[in-house]
């Protein structure tokens, strides 16, 4: 009965350890699973932040691109601010990923290793205690069986002695007396052995009971308590990690809120009227609006009055005008005939736009000049150092580069002077805003009351090359060379030569009424500049047209009729 009871207790204890071992193993696996979950969440945050950063970078304006120029508009600047705030917003998701990694993943990974070691130690102690009580029980059982065996042996020896002693009393033989004496000694020995076994059994029994009491009331409860504390600590640690999981997000909310506030502020900074003014400033032409179109009375036999809508050409000599098939080729403001980059002086642009382009070109050239001068100063200082310290370098080695930079500076300065001349020209012809534009009818009245010497000037101002380089002042309106004038080249006698000119710059005459000239080319002047910025020249009998006056150096023949000298 005792053995069955003890076996049942040990079996139950062993079962409890097995159950606890399985449960604690599940607990470790749960922590590992939660750690994996946080790790995957961290990877999502990193990938999300990366995608947000890439999105922000994708829509950032490229340097020296049209998008960068568009940043002058408040809506574009607001969008750029939104992209920058979005980039900062992505940074906060990177912070979330970093904090999840450092505060949860790294901590739990380290804790799992500690938990495994602690669990292994507790169950090692439990198995050790279980093995010790089982060994103690085996010792008790062994001494008990030995005591039982010795008792049985002593009882048999006693019975044998008593039987021999009874036989001796009957026979009184000497032999039997000697056997009886030997049996007595054997019985006494067996009794002594039984007594010793009894004492040993009693010691082992007391020892076992003590160890058993300590096992079930001290060791095993202590081990179970340690395992329980380990489990509770594990659960508490998981709870703290879950709390940190939420806190990591909460910590970045103020900064995320600031990013969102920045986006809202950027949106509120958009000013539609300011943007529309930018568009007006960007595209305004500088032209004055045309005046009223005059009525042309064809019923009277008189010289026709020149009007802007009439594409005829009234010459000062009073020659009758002829209709021209090229009349529909006339260029009106904002109708560019040639496309592409345009001439170097931006004469294909309206005056205001041309002025801006020329000014920007001059600014760029000045920056390049300053850059070259800075390099020249640096090289000069280096040469001075070499002169004072020949061991550091040869001063003559710097001279080629200095000469090259000096040439570059001279070229850039000449280029800047050229553009400054064009800028001065266009600024001198821009209309004065404070003076109201004159009506064309007033201009026509003036023309009718005075000799018409520049009858083709009105069309010429819109530029035969498709430009709007020359502007009306308060005294003169826009003048464009009349394209009908070209027809008279074939039908009238050639105009007399009144001088010569030299082309200072190349000019591409893409439009009707113009002529292409090369730099340095000598040409004949057949009609001087009438104040509209164009001079009529001839290369040969069949090749003549207009060129910008600023492109040529004119030498008029003082003996020619109506000629005046200017350079």
């Amino acid at each position: 009965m005792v053995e069955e009871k003890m076996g049942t207790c040990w079996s139950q204890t062993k079962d409890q350890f097995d159950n606890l071992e399985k449960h604690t193993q599940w607990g470790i696996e749960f922590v590992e699973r939660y750690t994996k979950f946080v790790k995957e969440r961290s990877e999502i945050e990193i990938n999300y932040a990366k995608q947000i950063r890439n999105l922000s970078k994708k829509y950032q304006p490229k340097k020296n691109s049209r998008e960068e120029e568009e940043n002058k508009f408040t809506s574009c600047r607001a969008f750029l601010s939104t992209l920058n705030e979005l980039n900062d917003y992505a940074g906060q998701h990177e912070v979330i990923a970093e904090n999840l990694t450092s505060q949860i993943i790294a901590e739990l990974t380290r804790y799992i290793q500690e938990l495994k070691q602690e669990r292994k130690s507790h169950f090692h102690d439990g198995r050790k205690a279980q093995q010790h009580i089982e060994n103690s029980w085996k010792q008790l059982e062994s001494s008990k069986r030995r005591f039982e065996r010795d008792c049985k042996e002593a009882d048999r020896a006693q019975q044998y002695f008593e039987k021999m002693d009874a036989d001796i009393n009957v026979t009184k033989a000497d032999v039997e007396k000697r056997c009886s004496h030997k049996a007595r000694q054997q019985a006494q020995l067996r009794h002594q052995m039984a007594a010793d076994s009894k004492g040993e059994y009693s010691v082992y029994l007391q020892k076992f009971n003590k160890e058993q009491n300590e096992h079930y009331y001290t060791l095993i409860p202590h081990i179970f308590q340690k395992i329980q504390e380990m489990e509770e600590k594990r659960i508490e640690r998981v709870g703290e990690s879950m709390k940190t999981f939420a806190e990591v997000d909460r910590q970045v909310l103020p900064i995320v809120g600031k990013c969102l506030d920045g986006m809202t502020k950027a949106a509120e900074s958009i000013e539609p009227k300011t943007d529309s003014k930018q568009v007006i400033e960007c595209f305004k032409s500088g032209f004055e609006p045309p005046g009223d179109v005059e009525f042309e009375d064809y019923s009277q036999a008189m010289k026709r009055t020149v009007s802007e809508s009439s594409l005829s050409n009234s010459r000062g000599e009073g020659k009758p005008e002829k209709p021209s098939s090229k009349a529909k080729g006339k260029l009106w403001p904002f109708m560019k005939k040639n496309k592409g980059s345009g001439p170097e002086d931006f004469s294909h642009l309206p005056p205001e736009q041309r002025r801006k382009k020329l000014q920007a070109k001059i600014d760029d050239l000045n920056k390049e000049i300053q850059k070259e001068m800075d390099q020249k100063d640096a090289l000069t200082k280096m040469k001075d150092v070499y002169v004072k310290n020949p061991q550091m370098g040869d001063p003559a080695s710097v001279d080629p580069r200095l000469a090259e930079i000096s040439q570059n500076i001279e070229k850039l300065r000449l280029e800047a002077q050229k553009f400054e001349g064009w800028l001065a020209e266009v600024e001198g012809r821009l209309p004065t805003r404070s003076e109201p534009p004159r009506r064309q009818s007033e201009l026509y009245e003036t023309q009718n009351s005075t000799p018409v010497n520049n009858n083709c000037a009105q069309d010429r101002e819109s530029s035969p090359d498709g430009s709007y380089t020359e502007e009306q002042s308060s005294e003169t309106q826009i003048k464009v060379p009349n394209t009908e004038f070209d027809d008279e080249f074939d039908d009238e006698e050639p105009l007399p030569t009144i001088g010569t000119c030299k082309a200072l710059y190349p000019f591409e005459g893409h439009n009707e009424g113009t002529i292409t000239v090369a730099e340095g080319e000598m040409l004949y002047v057949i009609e001087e500049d009438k104040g509209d910025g164009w001079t009529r020249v001839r290369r040969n009998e069949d090749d003549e047209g207009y060129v910008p006056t600023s492109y040529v150096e004119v030498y008029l023949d003082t003996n020619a009729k109506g000629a005046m000298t200017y350079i």
Side-chain angles (χ1 to χ4, degrees), residues 202-220:
S202 177
V203 171
Y204 278 112
L205 180 61
Q206 291 177 2
K207 178 184 176 184
F208 174 78
N209 287 334
K210 181 181 179 182
E211 291 179 349
Q212 180 179 244
N213 184 72
E214 184 179 3
H215 177 80
Y216 285 103
Y217 290 95
T218 304
L219 292 179
I220 295 301

Side-chain angles (χ1 to χ4, degrees), residues 347-349 354 426 429 461 463 467-471 534:
S347 57
H348 63 295
L349 297 175
R354 184 188 182 196
V426 71
R429 288 186 169 87
E461 182 65 23
S463 169
S467 69
Y468 306 98
T469 60
E470 308 302 333
E471 299 300 315
W534 295 89

Side-chain angles (χ1 to χ4, degrees), residues 34-43 97-112 241:
Y34 179 75
T35 304
K36 184 179 179 182
F37 157 74
V38 179
K39 184 176 181 181
E40 291 183 4
R41 162 71 192 282
S42 176
E43 291 174 352
E98 292 173 1
N99 291 340
L100 289 176
T101 301
S102 61
Q103 299 180 24
I104 298 181
I105 299 173
E107 291 295 327
L108 286 184
T109 301
R110 182 169 54 253
Y111 173 68
I112 288 172
S241 298

